[in-house]
Every structure is written in structure tokens, then in C-alpha cells.
Amino acid sequence: MSVISSHNYNLPGEIQSHVHAHAHIILPLDQYFYIRFQNQEHCLQPNQIGFVPPGVLHYFGCPGKALTLNIPAEMIKSSDLVFLSENSVREIDEKLMPLISLIKQETSGSSQNKDSLRYLFYYLYDKLVEQGRIPSLQYIEENYAADITIREMAELENYNISYYTEWFKKNVGCLPSEYLRMVRIDKAKEILATTRYRIIDVAMQVGYYNSSSFTRAFREVEGITPKQYRKKAQEAKLNSGGEAIPQMEIREEI
């Protein structure tokens, strides 16, 4: 099971840098938190929340105090990672304020409840992603297995195709076709990790009509094939003491 940890910063006058496999949720507690990565540079204020994607070199400094949540990369969907990285700083509005207060309370003691912190993170994650659910993104989430066209998505936003493509990339961080592919692969990962459906069956469930195009798309997003991903997911589950896949869900691959 993935575990979230937290860290309290107090780095007066220092700018440091590092890179790590987990993502950061940053919550300044007083003054500001300086962060720079890729083409982004921010001075987060105590009324803001920041996100740093996993595997990215970043520079940071904090003249006051700040709290960071270290989020395992596997807890963030690829399609959401693009949006969260592109919109890495958010205002903490009235809806988020009670949740942020709970997170601060949960991390203030010497003994932290890892389960509570994980549940709070998922709730925060849903809220952050929900803010970016423009109509065409919602349409992709609900119809990813269908033969979705750029024209359909553009019409949902009342834009022509060429403008919509530019607008989408600016607001989401990738092309509509790339986002659709990531959503499909995220859904496929869930199926691969929890069932033994044949690869072609998984492919068809997420919108691909043959296993070769599915495998090619999967490798482009994840760097490995669907079969390799399934093997790694099952090994990780067994190593963490998880249960085997229920027999009723199994369909042997051929």
C-alpha cells in the first residue's frame, strides 16, 4: 500500500534543489515558499497550495515554515498529472480551507496516522482535479472507450477545432488526443492490476480495437508493455501482503 509522508521546512536564507520519485503538495505556514521547476517559478503564500510533479528537478527556499506532503507517484493518474503540473498553484478557497486545516492537524503530532493522511490526500486530490473539469475533460472521462473526435470536444466548448486544440493545450498542458490516450491508459492500468482479462479484452474496454495499437499506446505512456505492467502490479501486491485476484474475476490470457 502506498504511504504518504510529511515534512516541515524551515530554511531561512537558503535555496536548495533536489529530485525524487514522489510528488509534493506544498502548504506554506507563514511567509512564503519559493519553488522553481521546468518553466515555472512561484512564491507560494500561506493562502495558496502548490504541486510539484514527481521526477522533476526543483529549486526551493522557505524563510518561514512550510509543510509538504510526499505523494507516491502511483497515487496520481497520468492524465491528472498533466493538469496538476500545468496548474501547480491554487488559491485555498472557502471549500478547501476546512480540509487544509485537517491536514495540518494530522501532520502536527509526532505520531501520524498514515491511513487518515492518505484519505485526506485523496479527498484533496479530488477537489483539485474537480476544479479543472472543463466540459470536454468530463466528456473524455465518461466516454473514453468511445470513438471520440476532436470536433465533438471542440463543440462542447463552443470553439472551432483549431482554436480548441490551442486552447486545450494551454489550459491542460497537452493535446486533446494525448489527454485521451492518458485517460485510456489509466483505466487500462486499473483493469490490468485487478483482473486477468486478456490484453485484447482490456484494449477493447478502453477504446482500442486491437492489441497492437493498445500495446503501442501503453508503452508510449508507461514505458513498458501491458503484460509487463500487470506482472509488476501483481508482484507489488503480493510483496505488500495483498490478496490474490478473486477467482471469479479471472479470465486466463491466451
Side-chain angles (χ1 to χ4, degrees):
M1 180 181 294
S2 300
V3 176
I4 295 175
S5 61
S6 64
H7 182 76
N8 288 290
Y9 282 91
N10 189 352
L11 304 170
E14 296 182 33
I15 296 294
Q16 300 186 8
S17 66
H18 58 203
V19 60
H20 39 65
H22 57 262
H24 270 330
I25 295 288
I26 304 171
L27 294 167
L29 301 179
D30 60 58
Q31 297 193 52
Y32 66 87
F33 191 102
Y34 170 80
I35 187 74
R36 174 164 55 90
F37 64 93
Q38 296 175 331
N39 295 320
Q40 301 189 46
E41 184 175 32
H42 302 283
C43 281
L44 297 174
Q45 302 301 319
N47 65 333
Q48 295 177 312
I49 181 171
F51 176 84
V52 178
V56 171
L57 174 66
H58 50 283
Y59 299 83
F60 59 94
C62 179
K65 297 180 180 179
L67 167 68
T68 63
L69 300 182
N70 304 318
I71 314 299
E74 63 269 19
M75 295 181 71
I76 304 174
K77 294 180 180 180
S78 301
S79 52
D80 293 334
L81 181 60
V82 173
F83 174 77
L84 291 171
S85 300
E86 191 70 16
N87 300 272
S88 58
V89 175
R90 309 286 187 84
E91 300 295 320
I92 300 176
D93 57 23
E94 293 182 358
K95 294 181 180 179
L96 283 181
M97 189 67 72
L99 178 58
I100 298 300
S101 296
L102 284 174
I103 291 173
K104 290 178 179 179
Q105 291 176 26
E106 195 62 45
T107 57
S108 61
S110 57
S111 59
Q112 300 173 12
N113 187 317
K114 303 300 183 183
D115 286 338
S116 296
L117 199 55
R118 188 173 69 255
Y119 297 143
L120 288 171
F121 162 71
Y122 275 128
Y123 189 51
L124 174 62
Y125 178 97
D126 287 342
K127 291 298 181 184
L128 293 177
V129 172
E130 183 181 275
Q131 292 179 2
R133 282 288 180 257
I134 57 180
S136 54
L137 288 187
Q138 188 66 40
Y139 183 76
I140 291 174
E141 288 285 340
E142 295 173 354
N143 300 278
Y144 59 88
D147 187 16
I148 300 176
T149 66
I150 300 294
R151 182 178 298 279
E152 288 177 273
M153 292 186 281
E155 289 176 351
L156 288 171
E157 307 292 351
N158 296 314
Y159 294 140
N160 62 51
I161 293 176
S162 60
Y163 181 81
Y164 171 73
T165 300
E166 295 178 5
W167 174 84
F168 190 97
K169 186 172 184 179
K170 179 180 179 181
N171 286 274
V172 180
C174 64
L175 295 172
S177 58
E178 294 172 335
Y179 185 84
L180 173 60
R181 182 182 60 183
M182 286 188 289
V183 170
R184 286 174 168 171
I185 299 308
D186 279 335
K187 302 297 182 181
K189 287 163 62 178
E190 295 177 15
I191 301 171
L192 289 165
T194 57
T195 76
R196 287 192 62 83
Y197 285 114
R198 298 178 303 167
I199 298 301
I200 182 60
D201 294 327
V202 178
M204 296 186 71
Q205 288 184 60
V206 298
Y208 293 94
Y209 298 109
N210 59 71
S211 57
S212 59
S213 61
F214 169 60
T215 298
R216 183 169 59 253
F218 196 98
R219 191 196 295 271
E220 288 173 353
V221 174
E222 293 296 318
I224 57 177
T225 67
K227 288 184 179 180
Q228 290 170 330
Y229 178 84
R230 168 174 277 163
K231 183 178 180 181
K232 288 180 63 176
Q234 290 302 308
E235 289 175 349
K237 191 172 185 179
L238 291 174
N239 290 338
S240 64
E243 298 180 359
I245 300 171
Q247 188 70 27
M248 64 179 293
E249 293 186 9
I250 294 178
R251 287 185 60 184
E252 294 297 335
E253 291 196 51
I254 59 174

